[in-house]
Amino acid sequence: MAQYHVDKMAENVYILRVDDAETRYFEALWEIPEGITYNAYLVLGDEKRVLIDGWKKNYAPQLLETISSIIEPKTLDYIVVNHMEPDHTGTLPTLVEAAPNAQIVAHPLAAKMADSFYGIKGNIKPVRDGQELDIGGKKLSFHYTPWLHWPETMMTLLTPENTLFSCDAFGGYSIPPTIYDDNPQVVEKYLPFATKYLFTVIGGYIQHITKNLEKLAGRGVNPATVAPAHGLVFRRNPSTIIEHYRKLAAGHVQKGKVTIIYDSMYGFIEQQVAEATVQLQAKGINPTVHRIVDTEHPHLSDIVGDAGDSEALIIGASTYESGVFPHMDYVTDIITKKVKHPKKILVLSSYGWGGVAGKKIAKKLETAGHKIVDIIEIKGQLTQEDREKIRDAVSRLLN
Ligand SMILES: Cc1cc2nc3c(=O)[nH]c(=O)nc-3n(C[C@H](O)[C@H](O)[C@H](O)COP(=O)(O)O)c2cc1C
Ligand SMILES: [Fe+2]
Ligand SMILES: [Fe+2]
């Protein structure tokens, strides 16, 4: 069951949060047993009333109800759309109907998308990059942040509160037990979900995080509160989430983190991975392991999240019908799309009569800019010589 939260963040500023524990695959792709929240915000100026972003369409009646607990929805003057993805705009048609006088404030590209997605044509106020909107006693300014996560995306800064409504950027998966970052333990538990979110959702455009952070800093945007559209609101330490994003975007990794991703139909790759693991453990490294075997399949979202902040990867793939085991082929494609900083990668592979999987996987990864430390292709079970090859390759992985 979804949960709904309203909290007063400051005088006349409210967060409206829905906890979505029903979506199993975010964007129909990423497994999120931890759930996700959609955060909308209500800002009441002395003259104008503004809703910032919305929720996924499943919760449209509840969004209206939630707004109604504070103001009459029909008295809204503006609906700011920072980003057109339907996890934030699915409720837009309902809102437009309930608040016919409200103008939609958005990037010009978003204005066009409002028509193509929802047939919403009139009452749209496209804003320029940097444009301000006086709402009486408070001001909003709009800052284009292209590719965080779509080309039309912008952030909205509220003054004098100095709150940045950042939409997808600085967001994360999961349903935090609190609205704010007040409790360090909550934050510690949350940050890995922010990492997973960053790589799965924005990973392909990661360099735009750096670009947009520089742009915002250049404009003197230094928020006291970071209020994203997913996950925790950071008001105690806004720099925690900004730095987290900045570092990952710059390619920072968890020192010594090695992620192993492999398939094994009958256990031969498993032998190779066991050998590699012994060697890693001898170096004091406990790898993070995702195995595709007959008793379990890992979540693609966890693979991408873990690969993103790993120092090195080990990828093991069986040869399957003169090609790569299908899931590993897919996993490799996704890694090339979502993990843009070059990783050191050891490719392990197994075959019965003619090995091709290792070379194919390595080629894909290398073409995408990753650094292949070695390709080891082994026929069936390991010989002593194979074991030595694996040990040697692993010892070169972290140098
Ligand atoms: C469905 C299937 C298709 C296979 N296709 C090939 C192949 O095209 N070429 C090859 O050399 N081995 C092929 N093999 C053999 C496996 O690649 C080989 O047994 C390998 O050691 C399996 O490692 P694993 O048990 O870790 O998956 C195939 C095996 C299966 C079950
Ligand atoms: Fe998005
Ligand atoms: Fe989103």
Side-chain angles (χ1 to χ4, degrees):
M1 274 292 286
Q3 302 264 334
Y4 306 91
H5 309 271
V6 176
D7 200 72
K8 188 170 169 180
M9 299 170 63
E11 203 50 41
N12 290 321
V13 183
Y14 299 86
I15 178 172
L16 319 177
R17 180 179 118 173
V18 56
D19 299 346
D20 172 4
E22 292 149 322
T23 293
R24 290 181 59 202
Y25 303 96
F26 184 66
E27 296 176 341
L29 180 59
W30 309 112
E31 304 89 342
I32 48 162
E34 66 273 27
I36 188 162
T37 78
Y38 313 109
N39 309 337
Y41 298 91
L42 191 62
V43 179
L44 309 176
D46 295 337
E47 284 148 33
K48 304 286 183 190
R49 299 173 153 191
V50 187
L51 179 75
I52 298 175
D53 294 321
W55 295 347
K56 202 175 167 185
K57 76 165 185 287
N58 319 30
Y59 310 108
Q62 291 86 354
L63 179 58
L64 276 192
E65 257 174 53
T66 308
I67 295 170
S68 304
S69 70
I70 309 165
I71 58 159
E72 282 265 4
K74 69 167 184 275
T75 64
L76 277 173
D77 297 288
Y78 297 112
I79 299 168
V80 173
V81 173
N82 281 320
H83 173 29
M84 271 305 293
E85 191 166 358
D87 55 331
H88 310 290
T89 61
T91 47
L92 201 51
T94 304
L95 288 167
V96 165
E97 208 183 304
N101 298 323
Q103 269 196 311
I104 294 173
V105 175
H107 187 290
L109 272 177
K112 287 187 193 140
M113 290 159 86
D115 184 12
S116 50
F117 282 18
Y118 304 114
I120 296 172
K121 293 181 203 304
N123 251 354
I124 297 185
K125 179 185 170 71
V127 285
R128 290 184 319 275
D129 191 11
Q131 193 171 328
E132 293 187 340
L133 183 64
D134 197 326
I135 57 170
K138 298 184 195 294
K139 240 185 214 170
L140 299 175
S141 60
F142 308 102
H143 304 272
Y144 289 5
T145 48
W147 302 108
L148 301 183
H149 142 235
W150 283 1
E152 86 310 2
T153 307
M154 60 182 198
M155 295 186 187
T156 299
L157 182 70
L158 169 69
T159 48
E161 288 79 2
N162 197 15
T163 295
L164 185 65
F165 301 103
S166 60
C167 206
D168 278 348
F170 311 131
Y173 291 128
S174 79
I175 298 174
T178 58
I179 303 277
Y180 306 101
D181 65 333
D182 299 345
N183 179 342
Q185 282 162 345
V186 170
V187 174
E188 195 185 336
K189 227 177 138 194
Y190 173 74
L191 288 178
F193 292 119
T195 303
K196 174 176 165 184
Y197 174 82
L198 184 156
F199 283 107
T200 53
V201 175
I202 319 177
Y205 304 124
I206 199 162
Q207 77 276 23
H208 294 282
I209 295 174
T210 311
K211 277 189 199 160
N212 282 302
L213 280 175
E214 281 167 6
K215 173 179 170 174
L216 291 172
R219 287 182 176 192
V221 175
N222 184 18
T225 301
V226 174
H230 302 288
L232 273 186
V233 171
F234 285 76
R235 65 176 183 190
R236 184 169 171 264
N237 270 320
S239 61
T240 302
I241 193 69
I242 296 174
E243 273 302 289
H244 190 73
Y245 264 67
R246 191 191 62 72
K247 281 188 173 167
L248 291 172
H252 281 232
V253 295
Q254 284 194 46
K255 194 92 191 101
K257 179 171 177 181
V258 175
T259 297
I260 305 181
I261 310 142
Y262 71 97
D263 77 270
S264 193
M265 297 180 283
Y266 294 108
F268 292 106
I269 298 261
E270 190 106 49
Q271 288 180 16
Q272 302 182 21
V273 168
E275 191 60 44
T277 304
V278 168
Q279 182 68 7
L280 285 170
Q281 282 170 343
K283 291 174 153 240
I285 291 167
N286 247 327
T288 303
V289 181
H290 297 286
R291 21 188 266 140
I292 299 168
V293 293
D294 57 5
T295 51
E296 65 185 72
H297 277 197
H299 286 172
L300 191 59
S301 55
D302 291 328
I303 291 177
V304 170
D306 280 326
D309 69 352
S310 284
E311 196 174 344
L313 309 179
I314 298 179
I315 296 192
S318 334
T319 301
Y320 183 99
E321 296 179 358
S322 302
V324 180
F325 183 81
H327 287 56
M328 288 309 299
D329 219 11
Y330 180 52
V331 163
T332 306
D333 281 341
I334 296 279
I335 289 175
T336 63
K337 283 183 167 59
K338 297 290 180 179
V339 179
K340 293 295 182 184
H341 285 289
K343 300 287 172 190
K344 286 180 281 184
I345 304 179
L346 166 61
V347 176
L348 302 176
S349 64
S350 190
Y351 63 98
W353 53 93
V356 287
K359 290 183 207 79
K360 285 196 171 176
I361 291 269
K363 185 152 185 247
K364 257 192 209 178
L365 291 165
E366 201 155 37
T367 307
H370 295 288
K371 187 176 175 301
I372 304 300
V373 173
D374 214 338
I375 309 168
I376 296 182
E377 302 196 282
I378 297 171
K379 190 172 177 177
Q381 63 177 325
L382 305 196
T383 62
Q384 193 48 39
E385 201 185 322
D386 295 328
R387 291 184 190 281
E388 274 152 28
K389 262 196 223 160
I390 292 173
R391 283 170 184 240
D392 170 61
V394 170
S395 71
R396 284 182 280 118
L397 189 60
L398 291 175
N399 290 338

